[in-house]
Amino acid sequence: MKIKEQSLIDLVLKGAGDNSIKNCISLSKINSAVLSTIGEAFHRSLNVSLSIVDQEGNLVYFYRMPDAILVSLSLSQKKAYSAVAMNESTQNLSSKCQPGMPLYHLETVTKGEIVTFGGGIPIRIGECLVGGLGISGAPDPNQDNELAEYCLDKLM
């Protein structure tokens, strides 16, 4: 019996692989995408912070432009975390969290860990969720979302 159980465990572990962002997207590719995104933000006269988390929501990359507002540090991380935790963009979550909608009070019940305004996007390789990307600091969350989409395009 123990032999069969161990074989099953080995089979599951072998098939699982490691689908984390660290093993799917190189640091060089991430650096290139971030530099391009920061250049685009500068071109748009926006000062932002950018965070990337792995599939468990752990911070793996962070950059803050020199004049980005202080709250953008924590919000970019929360947006990235929210995108991976909910497996959906924070822009899309916004409409689902309005009064009368299925996720109303989501931000409250998660004590602010989940945010529901633009700028957070899940990172997927094919159908596999590998991480989340969050951008914050623009005057309008739609601008954060546009930059996040831009960055995601450069990552892929």
Side-chain angles (χ1 to χ4, degrees):
M1 187 77 161
K2 285 189 177 189
I3 293 172
K4 287 183 181 179
E5 288 174 11
Q6 188 59 46
S7 297
L8 180 59
I9 291 170
D10 290 341
L11 181 64
V12 169
L13 291 176
K14 187 182 284 186
D18 186 352
N19 293 324
S20 70
I21 194 165
K22 297 170 240 174
N23 292 316
C24 294
I25 304 173
S26 70
L27 182 58
S28 171
K29 183 82 170 176
I30 292 171
N31 280 332
S32 176
V34 169
L35 285 173
S36 182
T37 303
I38 297 306
E40 181 65 18
F42 183 79
H43 175 72
R44 296 180 187 192
S45 300
L46 300 172
N47 294 301
V48 298
S49 292
L50 185 151
S51 296
I52 297 175
V53 299
D54 65 16
Q55 64 194 33
E56 286 86 33
N58 300 308
L59 185 65
V60 295
Y61 194 100
F62 176 78
Y63 181 80
R64 176 182 177 253
M65 293 177 72
D67 292 325
I69 57 176
L70 291 179
V71 73
S72 71
L73 281 79
S74 63
L75 278 180
S76 69
Q77 292 175 42
K78 285 183 176 190
K79 288 178 181 186
Y81 174 83
S82 298
V84 76
M86 298 299 292
N87 195 12
E88 188 163 3
S89 77
T90 57
Q91 184 97 351
N92 289 346
L93 284 174
S94 181
S95 63
K96 295 177 181 179
C97 294
Q98 300 304 311
M101 297 305 288
L103 297 177
Y104 185 53
H105 289 300
L106 178 65
E107 291 181 5
T108 304
V109 299
T110 61
K111 296 182 175 134
E113 290 298 313
I114 301 290
V115 295
T116 60
F117 44 93
I121 298 177
I123 302 171
R124 295 184 186 90
I125 304 293
E127 294 297 314
C128 184
L129 179 67
V130 298
L133 164 67
I135 294 184
S136 184
D140 182 338
N142 291 321
Q143 293 170 302
D144 289 336
N145 200 67
E146 289 171 5
L147 281 175
E149 292 282 356
Y150 179 92
C151 187
L152 184 64
D153 184 55
K154 297 298 180 187
L155 274 175
M156 301 295 124

